[in-house]
Amino acid sequence: MAATEFLITAKDRRLAYHKSEGHGPTVVFLGGLKSDMEGTKAVHLEDWAQARGQAFLRFDYSGHGESSEKFTDGCIGDWHEDTIEAVAALTEGPLIVVGSSMGGWQALLLARTIPERIAGMVTIAAAPDFTEDGYWASFSAEHKAALDSVGHVELPSDYMEPYIITKRMIEDGRQRLVLRDALDLPFPVRFLQGTADTAVSTETAVRLLEHASGPDMRLLLVKDADHRFSDGPCLGLIENAVLEVMEAS
């Protein structure tokens, strides 16, 4: 495997990445909260792209994986900045953006920022606005008091160690919401969602489909698939979705 490379951002964050040269459009994988670029879906898509001679980029947000900074110091806006800088510095031309979980929110934010560069999008268990509609909406009075007094709360996860959710992440997330105002996705889009996902509900997937506007948008619900969406059949569905949006763009 090729050695990890690093990009220094304008705010002096050191972002770890793997980039594969090839023909366009470039497939860019955006990972989830507390995930990293060594996850099954990211590495599988890289192998798939390399076999096709397709340009590909995967990277770690700051506070994730091999990149610098602490996770607890980061927020949605920081990771959006990381995404913009990684794409600007490391890719050229049209993009096929693949966003998993929080990476789905990042993909939608990227579409608002540089829609002219996006040729297609695939999301996997997309979690737009989760800091507000998931965390804040479910917080008890004790949770909210802890945010003010301690600056964070600790939440259990079905998929990894507990999440430390900071007051900064909640407040910054409110500035990045995508399900309140118009969300135009003027390119082919495929939303993938498992019905056994305990982190992101099918209702969230349907809400995103109904809220967004675009000429070619579909939601695929996969019975009994969980949030990881990374077994053999699910990986095949991701490949097919990327091919669909690439061919339709």
Side-chain angles (χ1 to χ4, degrees):
M1 181 179 292
T4 301
E5 298 183 82
F6 293 89
L7 171 71
I8 306 301
T9 73
K11 292 191 175 177
D12 207 32
R13 298 195 283 258
R14 188 170 183 258
L15 304 185
Y17 72 90
H18 283 262
K19 175 184 176 182
S20 302
E21 301 295 344
H23 60 76
T26 301
V27 178
V28 178
F29 186 84
L30 303 178
L33 188 71
K34 293 197 75 177
S35 184
D36 61 50
M37 64 174 174
E38 298 301 327
T40 301
K41 293 185 290 293
V43 173
H44 178 87
L45 269 184
E46 179 182 64
D47 290 343
W48 176 83
Q50 288 175 344
R52 289 172 45 84
Q54 192 95 35
F56 183 86
L57 173 67
R58 57 186 170 102
F59 68 95
D60 286 330
Y61 312 112
S62 53
H64 292 69
E66 297 179 71
S67 292
S68 69
E69 316 308 317
K70 295 180 180 178
F71 170 77
T72 49
D73 290 338
C75 62
I76 302 301
D78 291 344
W79 304 324
H80 177 47
E81 291 172 356
D82 293 343
T83 301
I84 292 170
E85 291 209 39
V87 164
L90 303 173
T91 70
E92 296 179 354
L95 308 172
I96 301 295
V97 183
V98 182
S100 175
S101 193
M102 189 270 285
W105 189 358
Q106 291 295 337
L108 298 170
L109 289 171
L110 190 65
R112 281 187 165 176
T113 307
I114 52 167
E116 70 283 355
R117 288 201 57 196
I118 299 181
M121 179 182 295
V122 176
T123 68
I124 307 153
D129 300 5
F130 72 85
T131 53
E132 191 71 11
D133 298 332
Y135 293 154
W136 182 256
S138 66
F139 279 174
S140 64
E142 290 76 13
H143 284 134
K144 293 177 180 179
L147 281 183
D148 284 331
S149 62
V150 183
H152 69 268
V153 296
E154 184 174 306
L155 300 179
S157 167
D158 289 341
Y159 300 98
M160 59 182 71
E161 73 268 11
Y163 290 136
I164 303 298
I165 305 303
T166 64
K167 182 177 182 179
R168 179 171 183 254
M169 185 187 293
I170 296 295
E171 292 180 341
D172 175 84
R174 290 196 180 115
Q175 308 305 312
R176 316 288 172 180
L177 303 177
V178 295
L179 296 178
R180 272 68 176 173
D181 299 318
L183 179 60
D184 186 31
L185 304 177
F187 38 74
V189 182
R190 300 293 181 267
F191 303 124
L192 308 180
Q193 176 69 41
T195 64
D197 189 333
T198 59
V200 177
S201 66
T202 54
E203 288 79 11
T204 298
V206 172
R207 182 184 177 195
L208 173 57
L209 178 72
E210 293 180 339
H211 176 75
S213 59
D216 182 4
M217 194 177 303
R218 301 176 195 174
L219 167 62
L220 176 63
L221 295 178
V222 182
K223 186 172 177 60
D224 296 331
D226 66 14
H227 191 65
R228 294 183 182 89
F229 210 88
S230 59
D231 64 11
C234 286
L235 293 173
L237 291 172
I238 296 169
E239 292 176 15
N240 292 341
V242 173
L243 281 175
E244 273 191 27
V245 299
M246 202 179 298
E247 291 168 357
S249 63

